[in-house]
Amino acid sequence: MSLFAERLVRYDDLIPCKNAFIDTRSPGSDQKENFTIIGPGVAENPNQHVHISIPHGFNIGGARQPAGCLNSQHSHLTEEIFVVHSGTWAFYTGVDGKDAKVILNEGDIISIPLDIFRGFENVGNGIGYLYAVLGSDDPGRVLWAPQVFDMAKEFGLILLENGSLVDTTLNEKAPDGVSPMAVTSSEQIAQHRIITDEELAQTVVRASDFNWNKHSYLSQFECVYEAPLVGNLNANTPIQTQLNWPHGFNISALKLQPNAKIAKHIRFEEEVIFVHQGSLTIDLGDEVLTLTQGDTFSVPIEHSRAFSNEAKNDCIVYITRRNDSPKDPQFT
């Protein structure tokens, strides 16, 4: 068994939950698969499988949905980032989903602030997959739009005040002393912003607009480029994008062209690597791993790592690190 098995999640080995949330029986939302890859996420089903339980300072999850499948309007207590791994996705804001809309394609990234109701739908032709990052080890609970409670009750699901679901079609009952969660009030709705299409577009960075540059520590190597997406690349490399408000984590895209190599180095935060395109070989000293599209790996703090692209096509990975400005790497 791999020495790093507890930190490696292959896309093909993802374990989905098909009834993670209150809207999972609502027509148009009943075919989605939710994944908690790192941390507990915000799933309302206690049986949701957590692939990596090690605290990172953020949570990582995924959503896989067929065409036409919708996630109902909701908001979060922490920042929420989505990377489109596959498919075409529409994001809607507002309590009824009618305030603003933006379409994202493969490789695009969106950061939705916490005071905005949002929902999203696979508007492509096939199965689509979203890779998601939520701020904090405990991102709290989902706040659903009022109409979601009505739809859920119609299909036998009741959300309790402790954040768990009761499925009345399975003869489940709420524990003694636990009441249903109150339907979201007009006062709670009023605490959220109403934004325009133009303002929503400012929360998106298109893959075609990535600032691939040679000014980061990793991109000093030949045929390697890094693009800042959320926060600073490093503490002493303040290259920002428009997604520069505090998130509590940092995200960049790293591109390795064929035969590119990055020398051994250590990091002082967990470094979570998600392969969007191609394959990445990671030399961990004790073991060499090759990650392919959709795979996720979390490199331990201060553990030596070296990267290379041994394939014939470009490799593009998204990297998430703790803190808005992670510490500079130390090359060994």
Side-chain angles (χ1 to χ4, degrees), residues 7-50:
R7 288 177 171 268
L8 174 63
V9 182
R10 301 285 187 188
Y11 182 81
D12 290 342
D13 295 334
L14 283 170
I15 298 174
C17 185
K18 296 185 178 181
N19 56 348
F21 296 106
I22 189 175
D23 68 337
T24 51
R25 290 226 183 93
S26 302
S29 300
D30 55 353
Q31 298 181 62
K32 60 182 179 179
E33 297 177 297
N34 292 98
F35 306 94
T36 45
I37 298 172
I38 295 177
V42 289
E44 295 158 349
N45 186 333
N47 297 318
Q48 170 96 43
H49 177 76
V50 178

Side-chain angles (χ1 to χ4, degrees), residues 188-207:
Q188 289 173 303
I189 294 171
Q191 294 172 1
H192 292 72
R193 282 191 291 150
I194 296 174
I195 63 172
T196 64
D197 288 342
E198 292 75 17
E199 290 170 318
L200 182 58
Q202 290 301 309
T203 70
V204 174
V205 182
R206 303 286 181 184

Side-chain angles (χ1 to χ4, degrees), residues 12-171:
D12 290 342
D13 295 334
L14 283 170
I15 298 174
C17 185
K18 296 185 178 181
N19 56 348
F21 296 106
I22 189 175
D23 68 337
T24 51
R25 290 226 183 93
S26 302
S29 300
D30 55 353
Q31 298 181 62
K32 60 182 179 179
E33 297 177 297
N34 292 98
F35 306 94
T36 45
I37 298 172
I38 295 177
V42 289
E44 295 158 349
N45 186 333
N47 297 318
Q48 170 96 43
H49 177 76
V50 178
H51 292 78
I52 300 174
S53 58
I54 303 165
H56 280 61
F58 50 83
N59 279 241
I60 288 181
R64 188 166 59 200
Q65 301 175 194
C69 190
L70 175 74
N71 276 259
S72 302
Q73 298 304 112
H74 64 282
S75 71
H76 289 285
L77 297 175
T78 63
E79 305 294 335
E80 182 176 43
I81 295 274
F82 289 104
V83 172
V84 177
H85 179 57
S86 60
T88 301
W89 295 78
F91 289 81
Y92 311 99
T93 66
V95 69
D96 58 2
K98 297 180 180 179
D99 289 351
K101 174 183 176 181
V102 67
I103 302 291
L104 270 66
N105 297 298
E106 292 183 4
D108 296 346
I109 181 172
I110 184 171
S111 174
I112 306 177
L114 52 92
D115 57 352
I116 295 173
F117 276 103
R118 81 291 309 265
F120 46 92
E121 179 183 8
N122 177 0
V123 294
N125 296 320
I127 298 293
Y129 181 73
L130 291 174
Y131 179 80
V133 185
L134 276 170
S136 181
D137 285 320
D138 180 6
R141 299 173 184 166
V142 176
L143 182 69
W144 294 101
Q147 65 271 18
V148 180
F149 290 88
D150 296 333
M151 287 191 296
K153 190 173 182 180
E154 183 178 347
F155 292 95
L157 292 175
I158 300 174
L159 183 62
L160 302 180
E161 60 184 358
N162 64 4
S164 61
L165 275 177
V166 167
D167 189 342
T168 61
T169 68
L170 300 177
N171 296 317

